[in-house]
């Protein structure tokens, strides 16, 4: 298969939905010799509700600048599937994706339980990291932790970034239930590094670490004079987690000056990313992330309000997101995201009515139309509500070809 055919086949596996558990991925990793080939590879495993991608980005940059060969696996992508799999900052090639998918497709053809999109993506990443002889791999969980496919891999350091309500249909309806799922990445003999968690979440995570007899390390804030490349006080917390993780997995090659420079140089697309000077892209898709976005906006732009381009998926706390964003918004354009799980314009308008919004609202059919309007405005515009929306916007604004994905 060429890249386009391979990607089309991979996207077709989304019909198998989400499957929690590690049986399938363990079998496939064994078939491809990945578990054997990774025995000498160090792994940083990152779980959490928000901030996982940023922590992974900071950690990877610190270790790469420390002259280690790094493998980075994150999800979802913004514009191209290849973003999910990077070696020392370079995305995987189309040829490598096509070759690995061709092999995997043959292997799983007769399986009774077909691997999912995420399971296959993880296997592609790990096989590629082995082929490229990466010294350290940074893995972002897809959802939860205990039953996430990434938990099939033995880690050297575990990181839990934050715990809030999200994916309740899969992880539970309370902070304690969700915390138990996230804490499932904690393993014997593997230290876990945690953020300043909600007290209930801290209790669950701490008890899990205590039961397994492993250190539960709460990080200290960064020095106030250290600059970081991502905006927002929450990103300073994420950077502190990354520093601790990087030093735990590789202390000898890292220096304080080098770490400080790495944090300053880190970039992570779609997280308070300013494009064309007056359009801000942020993938905030739950109430906790939206509140962090609101706080960052105020710290950067003070009293200036935004025209919001908004689209969201079903099963999200859309009302909580809107309540968090409305204080920084002066007008809204509603646009459906490119996903079968999208909310319609009517559903989003009803959500605005439920939270008592009096902000002027327009409905548009396409993101192209919404961005054209945003470009014509004098003030700032904010694209938020879904990483899918942000990815499509980034593709349009930067001229890259957007690949639709439900994952």
């Amino acid at each position: 298969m060429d890249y386009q055919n391979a990607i089309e086949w991979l996207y077709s596996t989304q019909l198998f939905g989400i499957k929690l558990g590690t049986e399938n991925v363990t079998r496939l990793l064994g078939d491809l010799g990945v578990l054997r080939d990774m025995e000498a590879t160090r792994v940083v495993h990152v779980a959490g509700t928000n901030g996982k991608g940023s922590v992974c980005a900071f950690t990877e940059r610190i270790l790469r600048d420390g002259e280690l060969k790094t493998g980075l696996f994150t999800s979802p992508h913004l514009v191209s599937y290849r973003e999910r799999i990077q070696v020392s900052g370079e995305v995987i090639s189309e040829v490598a994706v096509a070759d690995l998918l061709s092999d995997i497709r043959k292997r799983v053809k007769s399986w009774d339980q077909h691997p999912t999109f995420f399971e296959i993506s993880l296997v592609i990443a790990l096989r590629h990291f082995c082929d490229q002889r990466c010294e350290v791999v940074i893995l972002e969980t897809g959802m939860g932790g205990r039953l996430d496919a990434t938990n099939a891999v033995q880690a050297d350091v575990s990181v839990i970034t934050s715990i809030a309500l999200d994916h309740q249909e899969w992880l539970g309806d309370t902070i304690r239930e969700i915390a138990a799922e996230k804490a499932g990445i904690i393993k014997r003999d593997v230290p876990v590094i945690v953020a300043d968690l909600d007290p209930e979440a801290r209790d669950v995570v701490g008890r899990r670490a205590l039961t397994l007899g492993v250190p539960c390390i709460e990080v200290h804030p960064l020095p106030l004079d250290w600059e970081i490349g991502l905006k927002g006080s929450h990103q300073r917390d994420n950077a502190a987690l990354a520093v601790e993780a990087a030093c735990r997995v590789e202390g000898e090659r890292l220096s304080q000056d080098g770490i400080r420079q790495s944090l300053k140089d880190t970039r992570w697309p779609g997280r308070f990313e300013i494009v064309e000077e007056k359009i801000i892209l942020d993938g905030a898709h739950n109430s906790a992330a939206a509140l962090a976005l609101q706080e960052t906006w105020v710290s950067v732009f003070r009293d200036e309000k935004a025209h919001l381009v908004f689209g969201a998926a079903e099963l999200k706390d859309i009302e909580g997101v809107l309540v968090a964003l409305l204080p920084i918004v002066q007008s809204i354009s509603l646009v459906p995201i490119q996903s079968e799980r999208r909310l319609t314009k009517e559903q989003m308008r009803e959500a605005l009515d439920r939270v008592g919004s009096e902000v002027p609202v327009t409905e548009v059919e396409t993101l192209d139309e919404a961005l054209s309007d945003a470009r014509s405005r004098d003030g700032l515009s904010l694209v938020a509500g879904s990483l899918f929306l942000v990815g499509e916007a980034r593709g349009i604004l930067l001229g890259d070809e957007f690949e639709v994905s439900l994952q």
Side-chain angles (χ1 to χ4, degrees), residues 21-327:
T22 60
E23 296 85 0
N24 261 4
V25 75
T26 299
R27 176 182 175 185
L28 195 48
L29 289 171
D31 286 355
L32 271 73
V34 172
L35 297 178
R36 176 198 65 228
D37 293 346
M38 283 190 66
E39 286 181 357
T41 306
R42 286 162 286 175
V43 175
V44 179
H45 193 193
V46 182
T49 303
N50 294 309
K52 299 190 299 293
S54 297
V55 169
C56 288
F58 281 124
T59 305
E60 189 278 332
R61 186 61 191 250
I62 292 169
L63 293 170
R64 188 202 330 161
D65 289 349
E67 298 185 351
L68 283 93
K69 192 166 189 179
T70 60
L72 175 64
F73 175 72
T74 58
S75 62
H77 62 265
L78 290 180
V79 178
S80 168
Y81 174 83
R82 295 161 57 213
E83 298 166 25
R84 297 170 180 249
I85 303 167
Q86 301 183 31
V87 172
S88 294
E90 296 294 327
V91 300
I92 188 172
S93 70
E94 292 187 355
V95 171
V97 172
D99 288 348
L100 288 166
L101 279 175
S102 296
D103 185 16
I104 291 170
R105 184 178 185 180
K106 293 173 186 174
R107 291 175 183 272
V108 303
K109 186 176 182 181
S110 61
W111 285 23
D112 292 334
Q113 191 166 65
H114 200 286
T116 65
F117 177 100
F118 186 78
E119 290 170 336
I120 294 170
S121 296
L122 174 63
V123 172
I124 292 171
L126 294 177
R127 183 64 262 172
H128 183 62
F129 298 155
C130 290
D131 293 342
Q132 295 297 310
R133 299 185 179 179
C134 292
E135 296 171 270
V136 60
V137 166
I138 302 96
L139 293 180
E140 178 188 0
T141 57
M143 183 173 63
R146 180 176 65 93
L147 298 175
D148 189 75
T150 57
N151 213 25
V153 180
Q154 179 62 37
D156 294 88
V157 177
S158 301
V159 181
I160 299 178
T161 65
S162 66
I163 296 175
L165 295 177
D166 199 13
H167 298 299
Q168 288 98 310
E169 68 276 20
W170 294 100
L171 305 180
D173 294 323
T174 68
I175 291 293
R176 295 192 74 88
E177 289 174 324
I178 293 172
E181 293 300 320
K182 308 289 186 187
I185 70 166
I186 303 174
K187 298 180 176 72
R188 289 192 184 279
D189 303 319
V190 179
V192 58
I193 301 163
V194 299
D196 183 15
L197 300 175
D198 172 280
E200 284 192 301
R202 183 186 297 113
D203 179 62
V204 172
V205 172
R207 287 176 183 273
R208 167 76 175 172
L210 184 63
T211 298
L212 294 177
V214 300
C216 185
I217 303 151
E218 294 192 14
V219 297
H220 298 290
L222 296 176
L224 293 176
D225 62 338
W226 282 29
E227 295 181 54
I228 63 170
L230 304 181
K231 296 185 184 300
S233 60
H234 62 293
Q235 294 292 8
R236 296 189 69 83
D237 297 336
N238 291 333
L241 286 168
V243 171
E244 185 68 37
C247 290
R248 290 272 166 176
V249 80
E250 174 54 69
E252 293 184 3
R253 299 196 221 178
L254 306 179
S255 68
Q256 185 177 97
D257 288 344
I259 290 171
R260 185 174 179 176
Q261 187 63 47
S262 297
L263 297 181
K264 184 177 180 179
D265 292 341
T266 299
R267 300 292 181 268
W268 194 234
R271 281 71 174 180
F272 211 87
E273 180 181 15
I274 300 174
V275 180
E276 296 185 357
E277 296 186 355
K278 64 176 187 175
I279 299 178
I280 292 82
L281 308 179
D282 195 289
H285 62 279
N286 57 46
S287 56
L291 183 59
L293 167 56
Q294 181 219 109
E295 292 171 350
T296 304
W297 183 278
V298 172
S299 71
V300 175
F301 298 121
R302 304 299 178 190
D303 295 330
E304 187 167 0
K305 294 196 173 185
H307 170 68
L308 175 64
V309 178
F310 186 82
E314 295 174 340
L315 303 177
K316 292 295 180 182
D317 178 21
I318 182 174
E319 288 153 6
V321 171
L322 290 170
V323 166
L325 294 182
L326 283 173

